[in-house]
Amino acid sequence: MTPERSRPLLIVVADDGGIDVARNRGIVAGCAAGAVGAVSVLGTGAALGDLAARLRDLPARHAPDVGLHLNLTEGRALSGPIGGVTDAAGAFCGDKRELWRRALEGGVDAAGVRREVVAQAERLAEAGLPPVRIDGHQHVHVLPGVREGVAAAMAQLAAIRWTRLGRPVSADVPGQVLFPRLPPDRVAAAWLPAQDAGRLAQAALGTLHDECGLLRDAGLRSADLFAGADLLAAPGFSTCLTVIATAAAAARAAGLASIELMTH
């Protein structure tokens, strides 16, 4: 008999920590229940102090890993103006698609991003939440210019060893799982209008993940597969349990060992 293939490791990551108190409550409840293993936190979050206090009250066995959820779209930069990312006063553009457009057209200053990554990571550490992971609010960490800045910042942030670069899974047809890709020259045209909407956006995101070798070269590791309810944009794939089952099937079929499940 063929031995049963081992189950893939599931890592549940709660995004958007520190944005507001209501989200913090939900995240910490998930940690307390043992369901959430990592929290991705905005260094610019208005409720960062509240989240830090709530996490400190958790028993050690339920304390999650903390990641920096790099924010380059909402509010103001901690490090000052960044070319292609903020205005002259340091305010972010407030529109994720506008930032993606600028990045995909080569307009983002990687050196400025590096400074901001360090500043946001230091803000988390000052709040008592030193990060060991990094990813991007609205997937910004994989964008051209941003990924170079993130990679350069790792020289100053040795404790950060993990990122979000797993193969995005798509499931447009129930029972069929796919790992779609687009040619790099088609990413901008597909990603900007289609993000948050099914296989075309997943193909663009998968290609962007593939182009992040410099993050791996900087020593960052990642789960093998990446999934989230808002990414499996297909009828019948709206519940968390269904997403987990779909991602697990995809991982087993592809021989992958670990899954990162993004939750909000």
Side-chain angles (χ1 to χ4, degrees), residues 15 19 40 54 57 61 99 108 111 117 129 146 181 198 221 248:
D15 281 9
I19 285 185
S40 201
R54 292 174 186 275
D57 289 341
R61 68 182 183 279
L99 178 63
V108 168
V117 170
L129 299 174
V146 178
R181 294 293 187 274
R221 301 170 64 190

Side-chain angles (χ1 to χ4, degrees), residues 51-191:
L51 179 64
R54 292 174 186 275
L55 290 176
R56 280 196 297 270
D57 289 341
L58 285 173
R61 68 182 183 279
H62 292 316
D65 287 342
V66 173
L68 171 61
H69 200 44
L70 177 64
N71 172 36
L72 298 177
T73 54
E74 300 174 3
R76 302 180 69 85
L78 299 180
S79 61
I82 306 167
V85 177
T86 72
D87 63 16
F92 295 127
C93 67
D95 181 344
K96 61 184 179 182
R97 284 178 173 78
E98 175 60 19
L99 178 63
W100 299 334
R101 183 190 66 77
R102 296 176 189 179
L104 292 168
E105 291 178 357
V108 168
D109 173 24
V113 171
R114 177 191 61 76
R115 293 191 299 272
E116 184 65 13
V117 170
V118 173
Q120 292 189 24
E122 289 177 345
R123 175 67 60 86
L124 292 190
E126 290 165 2
L129 299 174
V132 297
R133 303 170 40 92
I134 185 169
D135 56 47
H137 184 47
Q138 300 165 341
H139 306 290
V140 298
H141 67 297
V142 301
L143 294 174
V146 178
R147 59 198 183 211
E148 287 80 4
V150 171
M154 292 305 99
Q156 295 174 252
L157 301 170
I160 296 179
R161 304 313 317 152
W162 292 88
T163 191
R164 177 176 286 166
L165 287 178
R167 297 167 66 180
V169 60
S170 177
D172 289 337
V173 181
Q176 181 180 1
V177 292
L178 303 165
F179 301 100
R181 294 293 187 274
L182 285 178
D185 61 358
R186 290 186 57 201
V187 166
W191 178 248

Side-chain angles (χ1 to χ4, degrees), residues 181-244:
R181 294 293 187 274
L182 285 178
D185 61 358
R186 290 186 57 201
V187 166
W191 178 248
L192 292 175
Q195 206 276 336
D196 299 330
R199 189 182 177 195
L200 187 62
Q202 283 299 90
L205 183 59
T207 300
L208 287 170
H209 279 206
D210 288 347
E211 294 177 343
C212 286
L214 76 171
L215 295 181
R216 298 181 180 91
D217 292 344
L220 293 174
R221 301 170 64 190
S222 173
D224 297 316
L225 185 148
F226 171 54
D230 54 342
L231 296 172
L232 288 171
F237 288 88
S238 59
T239 70
C240 192
L241 289 177
T242 304
V243 171
I244 292 171

